[in-house]
Amino acid sequence: MILSVDIKKKLGSFFLNVSFQADQNILGLLGASGCGKSMTLKCIAGIVTPDEGRITLGDRVLFDSAKKINLPPQKRLVSYLFQNYALFPNMTVRQNIACGVRGSKATGQQIINQKIKALYLEGLEDKYPSQLSGGQQQRVALARILVNEPLVIMLDEPFSALDSYLKWQLEMELISNLEEFSGVTLFVSHNRDEIYRICDQVCIIDNGKSEPIVKTPLLFDKPKTLSAALLTGCKNYSQIRDLKNGLIEAVDWGVTLACAEPVPKDACYIGVRAHYLTPVASEGQNTIPCRILRITQDVFSTIVMLRPFNSPNLSDFANLRIEMKREEWAALGAKDELFVHIHPYNIMFLR
């Protein structure tokens, strides 16, 4: 079963233009807030109508602007789990789950009982949402969409309002439940860590436009675009000029760097992750002399903000950020200036 999406939608000055295919692997839609992730889900669910394009699920056409096909939400076999789970506060667990049932009453009760057992909700059937923990509420919401026997499950920032400890618990439960689902799963988040742990593949959405789908480990190891690098946590980037012979000028850092790989023709930037910048004792190849701007102690690491001495760019994005174990930073001793080294293999070329 393949979900194919190729749609466009204009809302004021915002233009959504996304195209991707999803199968039984969990597909993450990763992007900053306001980039169009939730709008994409609403178009697939039939809550919002695209201006043009086509959405298909297997051999079923859910939307086709050219053929004027636009199935109502209840006929799409697509279930949408909202950020706040959208449980009815005046209904019990059983009543909330029953809202999603299709078919006869007898069959519906059987399905409800199956999902209550499968999602460990036994004994909670007569409780109200306010009497449940966050994890129990999530399982009720998931049961409600599963009793509808959907072919697609769409999860929209399901952990956004939770503290880190509860988030971890619910994440493990959700992964376990999704392993039993044989349909298509779309997982929307702006949190790179959630995407990395939960999703098999990722589609970056940047300012309303989708990028090609890539396998999750590859996206984090070798992002191809500046937006992908930033969304996966890269803090250091610079515009570049190709000097040939394996050298580039990192324009915003004011330094010439040797590269391990040929410079792609479409590369406009380089990126270097913060933990790949290494303090060194003296200047040499691929080192950048910097002034220390700020030192921040994180729980288990030290974060140091640096200003390259030769940077012609006055904006903050030309600053560098390094992250080290706290004991390693302490061993360097107090100082105002620092040389940092970039290994050629750690340079990422970005469109």
Side-chain angles (χ1 to χ4, degrees):
M1 181 71 66
I2 294 178
L3 172 69
S4 179
V5 178
D6 187 2
I7 54 173
K8 297 178 181 179
K9 176 72 178 179
K10 185 170 175 57
L11 289 167
S13 60
F14 180 77
F15 184 59
L16 181 71
N17 180 9
V18 294
S19 178
F20 60 83
Q21 289 189 337
D23 53 23
Q24 288 180 307
N25 293 301
I26 300 177
L27 176 64
L29 302 183
L30 176 62
S33 297
C35 72
K37 306 184 301 295
S38 295
M39 181 59 62
T40 300
L41 296 194
K42 290 175 182 177
C43 288
I44 296 170
I47 300 170
V48 173
T49 302
D51 296 330
E52 60 179 284
R54 180 177 168 89
I55 303 172
T56 62
L57 180 57
D59 57 0
R60 300 172 64 240
V61 179
L62 308 185
F63 174 79
D64 190 322
S65 58
K67 297 181 179 178
K68 301 189 182 304
I69 298 173
N70 188 18
L71 292 186
Q74 62 270 25
K75 292 187 177 181
R76 295 195 175 201
L77 298 180
V78 172
S79 290
Y80 191 167
L81 182 63
F82 294 90
Q83 293 182 24
N84 61 359
Y85 309 140
L87 298 177
F88 297 107
N90 60 333
M91 291 185 179
T92 65
V93 167
R94 182 176 289 276
Q95 290 169 336
N96 263 285
I97 297 173
C99 291
V101 175
R102 295 183 295 112
S104 68
K105 184 175 181 179
T107 302
Q109 287 301 320
Q110 183 179 1
I111 295 173
I112 290 171
N113 291 334
Q114 288 174 350
K115 299 307 177 188
I116 286 175
K117 183 177 181 180
L119 293 170
Y120 307 102
L121 295 169
E122 292 172 302
L124 302 176
E125 296 92 329
D126 297 323
K127 291 186 178 293
Y128 291 89
S130 62
Q131 298 173 302
L132 304 176
S133 69
Q136 291 166 342
Q137 289 181 28
Q138 187 194 70
R139 294 203 300 271
V140 173
L142 194 57
R144 186 174 61 185
I145 65 178
L146 288 174
V147 294
N148 193 33
E149 298 184 325
L151 299 177
V152 179
I153 291 178
M154 302 190 299
L155 308 165
D156 192 355
E157 302 272 10
F159 309 119
S160 60
L162 303 175
D163 61 64
S164 58
Y165 175 71
L166 182 58
K167 184 184 296 186
W168 177 257
Q169 287 184 309
L170 298 192
E171 190 177 302
M172 294 301 99
E173 291 182 14
L174 180 64
I175 292 172
S176 178
N177 291 321
L178 290 178
E179 287 175 350
E180 305 297 322
F181 181 61
S182 60
V184 176
T185 302
L186 301 182
F187 183 89
V188 158
S189 182
H190 64 271
N191 185 305
R192 68 179 191 271
D193 297 329
E194 290 177 5
I195 291 287
Y196 189 86
R197 290 190 296 263
I198 294 173
C199 302
D200 304 301
Q201 299 175 317
V202 187
C203 176
I204 294 288
I205 298 184
D206 182 35
N207 291 318
K209 186 172 178 60
S210 61
E211 297 184 6
I213 290 175
V214 296
K215 291 185 181 299
T216 303
L218 183 60
L219 173 69
F220 283 78
D221 186 41
K222 288 192 174 182
K224 299 298 183 184
T225 66
L226 178 61
S227 60
L230 296 178
L231 286 167
T232 56
C234 181
K235 303 297 192 301
N236 306 307
Y237 63 98
S238 169
Q239 300 175 82
I240 61 169
R241 187 165 64 91
D242 187 0
L243 301 178
K244 309 301 181 183
N245 299 319
L247 298 175
I248 58 167
E249 179 187 0
V251 177
D252 298 300
W253 301 336
V255 65
T256 297
L257 300 173
C259 305
E261 301 176 1
V263 181
K265 292 182 179 180
D266 57 355
C268 303
Y269 296 86
I270 58 166
V272 181
R273 298 199 183 276
H275 56 282
Y276 286 146
L277 285 174
T278 307
V280 291
S282 60
E283 191 167 9
Q285 187 182 54
N286 282 31
T287 62
I288 307 176
C290 300
R291 175 169 55 91
I292 296 176
L293 299 178
R294 186 167 56 255
I295 301 171
T296 303
Q297 299 298 339
D298 206 351
V299 179
F300 301 111
S301 64
T302 298
I303 300 170
V304 185
M305 298 301 300
L306 304 167
R307 181 69 185 179
F309 276 123
N310 299 323
S311 171
N313 193 323
L314 299 178
S315 66
D316 287 342
F317 87 76
N319 294 338
L320 292 170
R321 168 172 165 158
I322 66 173
E323 295 183 21
M324 304 175 59
K325 293 180 179 179
R326 296 181 69 165
E327 59 271 21
E328 291 178 353
W329 175 254
L332 292 176
K335 54 183 66 184
D336 297 321
E337 300 175 1
L338 192 69
F339 290 107
V340 291
H341 177 259
I342 301 173
H343 195 286
Y345 284 102
N346 293 327
I347 294 174
M348 302 183 295
F349 294 106
L350 308 168
R351 296 194 300 274

